[in-house]
Amino acid sequence: MKVKFGLIALLAAVLFVGCKGDDDESSSGKGSKVQVMTVFAPSQLGDMGYADRVMKGISILKDTDKDDVEVSIITSDKVETTRQMLKDWVAKKASVMDGAVYSRRLLVLTEPYMVEWLAEAKDQLQPTDEVLLLKVNEDDVKAAAQTLGMADRVHGLNISLASSVKRFDDMRRQYYQWTNQDPDSIPLYLTRLYDKKVMNYRDSIPEMLTTLQSEPLDSVTLPIIDKAGEQYSNEYKVTAFEAAYHVCGYCYGLAYMRSEQHQDQGKTKVFVICDMGAANNGAEMFLMTTNQYVLVVMLMVDSETNTDLIRFSVTRHFDRAVANWAQQWINKTTMPLMEQHGAWDGYCTDDIDPELLRGI
């Protein structure tokens, strides 16, 4: 079923509950309630991928229409604004909607680096507050719990991409065999939104690439942003959208030079795993403007199938994962330290099809 991303982005604005001052809190004696608050990175919503999937999951919770459950989000277009809104939320003890005191609150952080933002206000966290971290592993959860002083109240939820990465590399090798080329002569490249110094990626891509090829991971990884939450590339001096376009152009250039050298009329393609969040749109723009040989074959991470472009997509169903996890939490089920999903249970799907590469 297709996700209506435009409507989801609009819903984000509707669901957001602004933060007011402490004077607005009420002790009117109204019944207590639980709250699920989700923090999105600046300009993250509308990415037609990961963030919109999470938003869809949160909207499922909203549709339950339980009077004692409040579903809200924090979103803005600037890091400073987002961090301040998070601090303001931590300080609240009651709903700004009806004055009911929160008996329990769940904070969903969509990016691991947000733990540092939350740590700035950790002294104001309530004993019943809990945190759900997305895209992390068990070690990250334990480290965050120690940083925040929240013991067993920090949890992790993640979806592995390992199966799709392996399928994409199998397709790459099959294509090179079809065209009488050595599969090991051209590495599989990875474009990232952030450098590894900014964020530890826990999607199984680095581990799988290390297993599949002998090239050092650093030599095949192309990051574009060097500061958490930002959408501007200091290296390229352009927006993340434009930087994504340029990085794809670099991969195109590699393939073009090799094709010219071997006079193979565009058969020397470069295979690229594209994981640049909202900047994936820049990569898609590149694909729309490239020439007829389609020298760059792309697997776009956290995207939806697009039959208008010659690229493949891998989708992590964080909508279902987040909705199911949060619903269990609302029902007061004891939640695990870490919950992991992948292709094995249907939470990671792709449209990789080697036959589509025949004849191009």
Side-chain angles (χ1 to χ4, degrees):
M1 181 178 67
K2 273 194 171 183
V3 181
K4 297 180 180 178
F5 291 104
L7 292 178
I8 290 174
L10 178 60
L11 183 59
V14 175
L15 288 181
F16 173 68
V17 177
C19 297
K20 297 184 180 180
D22 291 337
D23 291 340
D24 294 317
E25 292 183 0
S26 171
S27 57
S28 60
K30 293 182 180 180
S32 63
K33 63 167 60 179
V34 301
Q35 183 190 43
V36 178
M37 174 66 83
T38 302
V39 184
F40 290 97
S43 303
Q44 188 180 37
L45 281 172
D47 64 356
M48 300 182 69
Y50 166 68
D52 284 357
R53 281 277 175 180
V54 173
M55 187 64 230
K56 183 185 177 186
I58 296 301
S59 69
I60 292 173
L61 294 178
K62 184 67 175 178
D63 290 340
T64 58
D65 284 331
K66 289 186 177 181
D67 292 337
D68 60 344
V69 178
E70 184 176 291
V71 180
S72 310
I73 71 169
I74 289 175
T75 180
S76 77
D77 60 354
K78 294 182 179 180
V79 171
E80 294 78 10
T81 303
T82 304
R83 294 176 74 156
Q84 185 58 53
M85 293 167 76
L86 178 57
K87 289 180 182 179
D88 292 341
W89 172 83
V90 172
K92 300 300 295 183
K93 298 180 178 66
S95 170
V96 297
M97 299 178 68
D98 59 11
V101 176
Y102 298 123
S103 59
R104 300 163 65 227
R105 298 189 301 178
L106 174 66
L107 180 66
V108 181
L109 299 181
T110 58
E111 297 293 346
Y113 55 74
M114 292 177 178
V115 171
E116 295 183 12
W117 300 357
L118 181 60
E120 297 173 359
K122 65 179 183 179
D123 293 340
Q124 292 183 288
L125 288 166
Q126 301 301 305
T128 56
D129 289 342
E130 295 186 66
V131 175
L132 175 61
L133 306 178
L134 305 184
K135 303 195 296 187
V136 295
N137 64 16
E138 187 171 316
D139 289 339
D140 296 327
V141 175
K142 292 178 179 178
Q146 184 173 7
T147 297
L148 299 172
M150 296 184 71
D152 59 351
R153 291 181 289 128
V154 180
H155 314 275
L157 176 62
N158 204 358
I159 301 175
S160 171
L161 290 161
S163 176
S164 294
V165 172
K166 178 62 167 60
R167 280 166 49 80
F168 189 62
D169 187 66
D170 287 345
M171 180 180 67
R172 179 183 73 91
R173 293 177 178 277
Q174 185 174 353
Y175 175 80
Y176 287 148
Q177 290 169 359
W178 286 343
T179 54
N180 298 315
Q181 299 178 79
D182 179 9
D184 294 320
S185 65
I186 310 174
L188 173 56
Y189 287 91
L190 169 64
T191 64
R192 291 287 206 188
L193 182 63
Y194 295 116
D195 185 89
K196 65 180 182 180
K197 297 177 182 178
V198 177
M199 188 166 79
N200 292 319
Y201 285 94
R202 308 302 192 187
D203 48 24
S204 301
I205 294 180
E207 293 81 1
M208 183 56 69
L209 286 182
T210 300
T211 300
L212 294 173
Q213 56 189 19
S214 58
E215 294 287 339
L217 189 61
D218 287 345
S219 70
V220 298
T221 305
L222 308 171
I224 61 174
I225 301 295
D226 54 12
K227 188 175 180 181
E230 296 291 348
Q231 289 293 314
Y232 183 83
S233 172
N234 289 323
E235 179 179 354
Y236 294 96
K237 305 302 180 185
V238 292
T239 65
F241 178 96
E242 295 169 308
Y245 188 99
H246 293 326
V247 166
C248 290
Y250 170 77
C251 295
Y252 179 92
L254 292 175
Y256 182 82
M257 287 188 293
R258 190 177 180 88
S259 291
E260 288 287 295
Q261 179 182 354
H262 294 278
Q263 298 181 341
D264 61 8
Q265 297 183 348
K267 291 183 179 179
T268 302
K269 303 182 188 302
V270 168
F271 287 71
V272 181
I273 299 173
C274 180
D275 176 32
M276 294 186 283
N280 277 349
N281 293 328
E284 292 214 324
M285 180 61 70
F286 173 82
L287 291 178
M288 293 177 188
T289 58
T290 192
N291 75 10
Q292 60 180 334
Y293 291 132
V294 194
L295 296 179
V296 177
V297 180
M298 185 180 297
L299 175 64
M300 188 166 287
V301 174
D302 291 325
S303 66
E304 308 295 320
T305 296
N306 187 336
T307 57
D308 295 329
L309 296 175
I310 300 179
R311 59 94 161 146
F312 301 95
S313 66
V314 52
T315 303
R316 288 187 289 181
H317 297 269
F318 272 102
D319 48 336
R320 286 192 287 121
V322 169
N324 292 340
W325 199 100
Q327 191 61 62
Q328 292 181 59
W329 178 86
I330 289 172
N331 293 331
K332 299 185 178 180
T333 302
T334 300
M335 303 308 295
L337 174 73
M338 186 71 209
E339 185 174 302
Q340 182 78 32
H341 298 285
W344 62 84
D345 57 3
Y347 280 84
C348 180
T349 59
D350 62 59
D351 58 8
I352 296 170
D353 182 2
E355 292 299 319
L356 292 178
L357 294 183
R358 287 189 182 274
I360 65 169

